Amino acid sequence: MTQNVLKYKTHCKIKWDGLSECAFHTHFSAIKQANLLQSLDYVRVMARLNHQRVRRGLIVINGQDAGIFQILEAGILKNSVHGVILDRGPLWLKGFGSADDFEAFMRVFSEEFPKRFGRRVRIMPEIENSPQVRQSLESRGFRNMSSQGYQTMWVDLRADPDVIRANLNGKWRGHLRKAEKTGIEVHWSDEGKYFSWLMSQYMRDKTQRKYDGVSQKTMIALAGEFSRGKNMLIGTALLDGAPIASILLLNHGASATYQIGYSSEKGRNCCAHHLLLWRAVGVLQERQIYDFDLGGVNNESAQGVKTFKEGLGGKLFETPGLYCR
């Protein structure tokens, strides 16, 4: 009964492929906390690497533009074998994004890609985790593929730097003060300087410590795409002229994402990562970037990482996680 009433009150449709890249980017840049995985540059890279095609959708609810999203799609034998991926979407325009709006979207999206043999649909919704949202997915045959929702940390950069600094965790601020007294020089580049050093150290560290992370092939492809528009920022901490730590940020619209980082033993002793992330706040603000995604966190295998990101003022945002059908 509730769904019937909602269907009557909420008229939703998807306009496929009617948005140019420019129009999509205009909407995307106006959305608070617009994530990396729905950005034009990121989706373009994934499509190229995985031999998929990109489709862009505009969600219209009760006659008003309500949201945007991009899917990656691949099919063979006239789509008798068909795959659809919607990662961290849709993104909602101002005034939209409720659980009811998501229900209306899922109804239309599922009609576009009905369940059938040979078709696999993967969706990772970008909406706050709730029983109603999970019900919208599960009632349409989607299965939860993870033990918990996807969690990430966002830092709001709209406040004055002095206010942001005052709101840092006390211990985190103490590590920052220590780093500021060590004589570290911080170098920023949007042209790829120190990229090779960072990648070699990151890949070696990733192999030795056996943690999940972006592959070298994907990272090189992302760097090439984002650097063309000067949307890749590398911050490197130098001590006596030698690099001891580095972070790589990807900018997308009015948001940025902490993508990868590395700190040597000397860098850790000097708290270089604290200094790099703090300096990133000012650099991003200068570029009119006001939402900073520090990346995924969890309580099971990386509690220390979560605590570190909270210390910078990160606020937890949890989505339902990965669902497949």
Side-chain angles (χ1 to χ4, degrees):
M1 180 65 181
T2 302
Q3 287 190 2
N4 289 336
V5 171
L6 178 62
K7 186 173 181 179
Y8 174 76
K9 287 185 175 180
T10 308
H11 179 265
C12 179
K13 66 179 179 179
I14 296 172
K15 292 183 178 180
W16 288 101
D17 304 317
L19 285 176
S20 66
E21 287 196 353
C22 182
F24 184 92
H25 185 69
T26 297
H27 280 309
F28 183 87
S29 298
I31 293 171
K32 193 174 186 293
Q33 296 184 355
N35 67 74
L36 173 68
L37 274 62
Q38 281 293 304
S39 69
L40 290 169
D41 287 342
Y42 184 91
V43 171
R44 193 181 295 123
V45 168
M46 292 300 108
R48 186 167 65 244
L49 289 178
N50 299 312
H51 308 289
Q52 298 160 322
R53 74 177 182 123
V54 181
R55 293 184 69 190
R56 290 185 291 272
L58 172 68
I59 306 167
V60 180
I61 291 180
N62 296 334
Q64 297 184 64
D65 292 353
I68 58 172
F69 65 97
Q70 297 184 94
I71 64 169
L72 290 167
E73 191 175 16
I76 58 174
L77 302 175
K78 296 183 179 180
N79 274 354
S80 59
V81 178
H82 186 213
V84 178
I85 297 173
L86 172 55
D87 277 342
R88 294 192 69 180
L91 302 178
W92 298 98
L93 302 179
K94 188 174 181 179
F96 295 91
S98 68
D100 286 348
D101 293 335
F102 181 75
E103 162 65 26
F105 166 76
M106 282 305 303
R107 172 171 47 81
V108 179
F109 187 79
S110 296
E111 290 170 357
E112 178 74 19
F113 303 109
K115 185 177 181 180
R116 65 163 172 81
F117 180 77
R119 171 178 286 144
R120 182 173 175 83
V121 180
R122 185 181 91 185
I123 180 169
M124 188 177 182
E126 187 75 349
I127 190 170
E128 190 170 357
N129 195 3
S130 72
Q132 184 178 344
V133 168
R134 294 194 298 272
Q135 174 62 24
S136 294
L137 292 157
E138 292 164 5
S139 65
R140 292 173 174 86
F142 286 91
R143 293 181 295 111
N144 190 343
M145 307 303 291
S146 51
S147 59
Q148 62 178 22
Y150 171 75
Q151 296 182 339
T152 190
M153 288 277 184
W154 286 92
V155 179
D156 190 333
L157 304 181
R158 289 168 180 80
D160 184 86
D162 290 340
V163 175
I164 297 175
R165 182 161 181 143
N167 288 329
L168 297 175
N169 173 274
K171 187 176 180 181
W172 205 100
R173 191 165 52 247
H175 288 311
L176 173 59
R177 284 197 296 265
K178 177 182 177 181
E180 290 172 330
K181 295 175 181 177
T182 59
I184 293 174
E185 176 190 352
V186 176
H187 179 276
W188 289 97
S189 173
D190 55 15
E191 297 179 346
K193 189 170 184 180
Y194 293 110
F195 176 75
S196 296
W197 181 85
L198 172 57
M199 279 303 302
S200 63
Q201 302 301 319
Y202 168 77
M203 292 308 301
R204 180 176 56 82
D205 189 56
K206 180 172 175 277
T207 299
Q208 289 178 348
R209 296 168 59 187
K210 298 180 181 179
Y211 56 80
D212 292 332
V214 64
S215 71
Q216 184 172 12
K217 178 181 178 181
T218 299
M219 194 61 247
I220 290 173
L222 287 171
E225 189 71 34
F226 278 79
S227 62
R228 271 194 283 275
K230 295 190 178 295
N231 287 319
M232 180 179 74
L233 272 172
I234 298 176
T236 306
L238 306 170
L239 191 61
D240 298 325
I244 59 172
S246 190
I247 61 174
L248 186 150
L249 314 179
L250 296 177
N251 303 335
H252 37 94
S255 303
T257 295
Y258 173 90
Q259 185 65 22
I260 62 171
Y262 169 77
S263 188
S264 66
E265 182 178 356
K266 185 176 289 187
R268 290 191 293 273
N269 290 339
C270 294
C271 301
H273 235 70
H274 293 77
L275 182 60
L276 286 170
L277 282 170
W278 172 247
R279 293 283 181 85
V281 169
V283 172
L284 293 175
Q285 286 180 327
E286 288 174 1
R287 293 179 175 234
Q288 297 184 311
I289 293 171
Y290 300 116
D291 291 301
F292 189 13
D293 188 350
L294 298 180
V297 296
N298 67 74
N299 294 321
E300 296 173 0
S301 60
Q303 179 61 48
V305 173
K306 184 176 182 179
T307 301
F308 176 82
K309 293 176 180 180
E310 286 175 332
L312 183 58
K315 303 300 182 186
L316 186 69
F317 179 66
E318 180 176 322
T319 72
L322 181 63
Y323 281 75
C324 292
R325 186 178 68 187

